C-alpha cells in the first residue's frame, strides 16, 4: 500500500474543505447548509459480487437446500482458514454463542464474565442458559475487557469468560488463558469482530476453548444470517453439533440403542434447530475466497483514516496493542468533549445531517431496560460508561472508495470546527 505523506493529507483536506471555508458553505447541514454528501454513506455494508450470486443460484437448482454437502464444505474451509480442527456452522452468531454456553455447561447459578461494551448477544447467551452475566470493566486504551477486573469479579460460581475482540482487536489471550487455568474457567471468545485478526502472529480461532464468529452482513464476510464456532476440542465439537440439531444424533457411536435399525435416531439432549442452510454455506464459501482482499482493503482505509484524522484536534484515534494485528471490523473515534461546546449527541446529529452514517458501538449492555430489570445498575463499570459518552463509529467497509472516506473526514472537520470551544 502507498504511504500517504502528511503534507499530501493537509493539501487534500484543504482542497476538499475549501468550499466550506468561504461564503455560506461552512453552514452545517443541520443548520440549513449544504450537506457534504448527497446520499447517506452507511457505517457498514456487505460486498456481494456475481460469483456469490452464481454460487447461491447453483444451490437453489440442486437437490439440497439445507443440511447437504455445502455445510460440511464450508465448515472445513472455514476451519482451514483459521487453523482450527473443527468448525460448526449455525443459523447466526447469537445461536453460536448460545451453543457455546451450552457446550461449556453453563446452567442456573453459574456466573460468566464478559464486557459491557459489546452487542447484547455476548451476555444474552448466558441468560438463555439460566446463568448470570457479570460485567468486568474495560481497558480505557484498547476498549477491550480489563484483565485485572476479570480477576476481581471471579467468585466460586464463575464458570466461564466471554471476552470480545472489540472492533477487531484481539483481547490479551495469553493473560486470559492464565486466569482461566488458575480458576478452571472455560474461555468462549466472541470473535464476531475479529475474523482474520491475529494475536501475536496467530490467527484468531484456536486460542480460546471455543471461538464464535458472526456472518451478519456488516461483519467481515456474510451468509445473510450466520454464525460459526471453531474449536480444537472433540468433546466440545460433539456437543455443539448436537445442540444445533435438536439434540438429535444418528451417529452409531453416540446412540444408546445401537441395534434398532437404519432409520433410527435418538434425541439425547434438548437442542434447538440452529442449522445453517446449504444456500447460506455456498455463499459463505464464495465469500471466504475474498476475505483476505476485504481485510487488505479495511486495513488500507484504516491507515488512511489514521493519517487524515491526525490533523483534527479533539479526536482520539483507535489504539492498537503491540500483540494485535486487527482485521478492523469498526473504526471508532473518541471525542475529547472538553474541547467542544456541545456533547456527542449534537456532534452525532450534525454528522448524520451531512449524510455520514455514523453509529455508536455500544450502549453498555447493562443500561438496557431488560438488564436494569434483572437488577444491574448504572455505575458498575466506570471506564465503559465514560467511553460510551464519547465514542462515534465512522463508516468502514471494503466497498467504500477513497472519496467516501474523504467525505467523512471533511464532514468531521466541518462539524468539529463549528463546535470548537
Ligand atoms: C454481530 C455480533 C454478534 C452476533 O450477532 P448475530 O447477528 O447473531 O450474528 C455477537 N457479538 C458481537 C460482539 C457482535 O458484534
Amino acid at each position: 500500500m502507498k504511504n500517504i505523506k502528511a503534507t499530501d493529507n493537509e493539501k487534500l483536506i484543504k482542497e476538499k474543505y475549501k468550499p466550506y471555508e468561504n461564503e455560506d458553505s461552512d453552514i452545517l447541514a443541520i443548520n440549513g447548509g449544504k450537506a457534504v454528501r448527497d446520499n447517506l454513506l452507511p457505517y457498514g455494508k456487505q460486498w456481494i459480487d456475481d460469483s456469490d450470486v452464481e454460487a447461491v443460484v447453483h444451490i437453489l437448482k440442486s437437490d439440497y437446500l439445507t443440511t447437504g454437502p455445502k455445510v460440511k464444505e464450508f465448515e472445513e474451509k472455514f476451519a482451514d482458514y483459521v487453523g482450527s480442527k473443527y468448525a460448526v456452522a449455525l443459523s447466526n452468531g447469537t445461536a453460536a454463542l448460545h451453543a457455546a454456553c451450552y457446550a461449556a455447561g453453563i446452567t442456573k447459578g453459574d456466573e460468566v464474565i464478559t464486557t459491557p461494551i459489546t452487542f447484547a448477544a455476548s451476555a444474552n447467551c448466558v441468560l438463555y442458559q439460566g446463568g448470570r452475566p457479570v460485567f468486568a470493566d474495560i481497558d480505557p486504551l484498547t476498549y477491550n475487557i480489563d484483565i485485572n477486573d476479570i480477576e476481581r469479579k471471579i467468585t466460586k460460581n464463575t464458570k466461564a469468560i466471554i471476552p470480545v475482540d472489540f472492533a477487531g482487536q484481539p483481547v490479551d489471550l495469553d493473560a486470559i488463558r492464565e486466569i482461566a487455568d488458575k480458576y478452571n474457567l472455560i474461555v468462549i471468545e466472541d470473535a464476531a469482530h475479529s475474523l482474520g485478526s491475529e494475536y501475536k502472529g496467530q490467527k484468531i480461532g484456536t486460542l480460546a476453548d471455543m471461538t464464535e464468529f458472526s456472518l451478519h452482513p456488516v461483519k467481515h464476510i456474510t451468509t445473510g444470517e450466520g454464525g460459526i464456532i471453531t474449536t480444537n476440542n472433540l468433546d466440545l465439537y460433539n456437543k455443539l453439533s448436537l445442540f444445533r440439531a435438536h439434540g438429535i444424533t444418528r451417529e452409531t457411536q453416540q446412540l444408546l440403542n445401537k441395534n434398532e435399525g437404519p432409520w433410527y435416531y435418538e434425541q439425547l439432549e434438548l437442542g434447538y434447530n440452529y442449522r445453517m442452510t446449504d444456500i447460506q454455506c455456498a455463499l459463505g464459501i464464495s465469500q471466504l475466497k475474498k476475505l483476505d482482499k476485504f481485510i487488505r482493503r479495511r486495513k488500507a482505509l484504516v491507515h488512511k483514516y489514521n493519517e487524515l484524522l491526525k490533523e483534527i484536534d479533539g479526536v482520539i484515534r483507535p489504539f492498537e496493542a503491540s500483540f494485535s494485528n486487527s482485521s478492523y471490523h469498526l473504526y471508532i473515534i473518541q471525542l475529547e468533549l472538553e474541547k467542544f461546546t456541545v456533547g456527542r449527541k449534537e456532534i452525532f446529529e450534525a454528522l448524520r445531517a451531512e449524510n455520514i452514517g455514523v453509529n455508536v458501538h455500544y450502549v453498555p449492555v447493562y443500561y438496557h431496560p431488560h438488564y436494569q430489570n434483572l437488577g444491574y445498575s448504572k455505575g458498575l463499570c466506570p471506564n465503559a460508561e465514560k467511553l460510551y459518552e464519547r465514542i462515534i463509529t465512522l463508516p468502514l467497509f471494503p466497498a467504500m472508495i477513497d472519496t467516501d472516506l474523504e467525505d467523512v473526514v471533511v464532514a468531521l472537520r466541518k462539524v468539529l470546527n463549528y463546535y470548537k470551544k
Side-chain angles (χ1 to χ4, degrees):
M1 198 190 55
K2 220 173 79 194
N3 264 334
I4 309 165
K5 286 196 224 81
T7 48
D8 293 343
N9 293 331
E10 277 161 35
K11 230 170 58 198
L12 191 149
I13 290 182
K14 279 207 187 97
E15 273 167 23
K16 285 281 282 182
Y17 192 64
K18 212 157 146 208
Y20 306 101
E21 276 177 343
N22 50 42
E23 294 155 25
D24 295 337
S25 44
D26 58 349
I27 299 174
L28 299 190
I30 202 166
N31 295 335
K34 183 176 166 7
V36 169
R37 285 176 69 90
D38 297 332
N39 59 338
L40 183 77
L41 178 69
Y43 90 89
K45 195 183 160 187
Q46 71 278 8
W47 176 316
I48 298 289
D49 64 22
D50 288 348
S51 65
D52 297 317
V53 174
E54 274 163 34
V56 168
V57 170
H58 181 73
I59 297 303
L60 287 173
K61 292 177 176 170
S62 78
D63 289 339
Y64 291 96
L65 297 189
T66 193
T67 323
K70 286 294 164 188
V71 178
K72 196 100 225 109
E73 186 185 338
F74 180 48
E75 288 174 341
E76 281 170 8
K77 288 186 166 150
F78 195 95
D80 250 16
Y81 182 84
V82 304
S84 68
K85 278 198 190 142
Y86 311 105
V88 181
L90 297 101
S91 44
N92 56 68
T94 305
L97 283 169
H98 184 188
C101 284
Y102 163 84
I106 305 305
T107 182
K108 200 164 158 34
D110 291 341
E111 293 174 6
V112 177
I113 298 175
T114 190
T115 168
I117 298 294
T118 184
F119 183 56
S122 315
N124 288 345
C125 58
V126 178
L127 295 178
Y128 296 154
Q129 286 299 105
R132 185 163 179 86
V134 172
F135 295 100
D137 208 348
I138 55 151
D139 174 321
L141 263 187
T142 63
Y143 314 156
N144 271 331
I145 195 165
D146 175 357
I147 305 293
N148 298 318
D149 208 35
I150 293 179
E151 197 155 9
R152 279 193 289 272
K153 298 274 161 78
I154 289 173
T155 73
K156 63 179 192 333
N157 296 322
T158 310
K159 267 277 182 63
I161 313 172
I162 305 183
V164 178
D165 299 330
F166 183 66
Q169 168 155 231
V171 289
D172 188 347
L173 286 150
D174 283 346
I176 287 180
R177 173 56 59 201
E178 205 172 294
I179 293 178
D181 287 349
K182 188 167 157 195
Y183 296 95
N184 198 22
L185 308 176
I186 289 179
V187 181
I188 302 168
E189 186 178 0
D190 184 340
H193 296 185
S194 59
L195 177 55
S197 291
E198 292 173 351
Y199 173 76
K200 297 185 180 172
Q202 242 185 305
K203 269 227 176 72
I204 293 305
T206 58
L207 300 161
D209 296 298
M210 289 173 272
T211 309
E212 169 266 337
F213 300 92
S214 166
L215 307 168
H216 181 277
V218 297
K219 304 288 164 60
H220 286 86
I221 60 169
T222 190
T223 55
E225 294 279 358
I228 192 159
I229 302 189
T230 57
T231 182
N232 283 341
N233 181 311
L234 178 61
D235 182 46
L236 292 173
Y237 170 72
N238 285 332
K239 284 181 176 151
L240 295 166
S241 305
L242 263 189
F243 191 75
R244 86 162 151 197
H246 309 276
I248 285 174
T249 186
R250 288 177 180 277
E251 307 269 333
T252 318
Q253 72 268 29
Q254 288 181 347
L255 294 176
L256 299 184
N257 178 356
K258 297 187 194 304
N259 298 318
E260 188 70 14
W263 67 88
Y264 187 66
Y265 59 83
E266 281 176 351
Q267 186 191 335
L268 301 174
E269 308 255 345
L270 183 61
Y272 289 72
N273 179 355
Y274 275 168
R275 292 183 303 242
M276 194 187 269
T277 65
D278 269 42
I279 306 168
Q280 293 169 302
C281 287
L283 180 55
I285 292 163
S286 177
Q287 288 265 298
L288 201 51
K289 291 180 194 154
K290 295 182 275 271
L291 174 57
D292 283 334
K293 180 179 89 173
F294 292 166
I295 292 173
R296 278 198 299 277
R297 180 64 189 149
R298 283 178 178 274
K299 285 183 175 172
L301 289 164
V302 165
H303 182 78
K304 189 159 177 169
Y305 264 140
N306 282 341
E307 289 298 311
L308 294 179
L309 294 181
K310 245 189 231 163
E311 324 282 339
I312 301 186
D313 194 32
V315 169
I316 299 174
R317 295 165 298 158
F319 168 87
E320 194 167 357
S322 59
F323 56 66
S324 163
N325 181 3
S326 175
S327 59
Y328 274 98
H329 165 51
L330 299 171
Y331 191 89
I332 294 174
I333 57 164
Q334 221 189 122
L335 298 169
E336 293 179 273
L337 289 177
E338 311 72 44
K339 296 188 173 169
F340 302 105
T341 57
V342 293
R344 187 259 314 267
K345 182 166 181 247
E346 290 79 4
I347 292 169
F348 185 98
E349 286 170 341
L351 287 166
R352 275 283 176 96
E354 303 294 340
N355 270 327
I356 306 300
V358 285
N359 218 309
V360 171
H361 294 92
Y362 292 92
V363 178
V365 174
Y366 59 81
Y367 276 24
H368 290 296
H370 183 72
Y371 280 83
Q372 296 283 306
N373 292 340
L374 290 174
Y376 296 84
S377 46
K378 293 191 180 177
L380 262 184
C381 299
N383 291 340
E385 296 183 12
K386 182 175 177 213
L387 181 77
Y388 167 61
E389 301 298 326
R390 303 157 74 99
I391 42 175
I392 291 184
T393 306
L394 303 183
L396 179 68
F397 54 97
M400 211 169 131
I401 58 175
D402 282 29
T403 51
D404 291 333
L405 186 147
E406 287 154 17
D407 286 343
V408 178
V409 176
V410 166
L412 198 58
R413 191 180 165 104
K414 180 183 174 189
V415 168
L416 294 184
N417 263 357
Y418 181 80
Y419 289 123
K420 196 149 201 174
K421 266 188 188 158

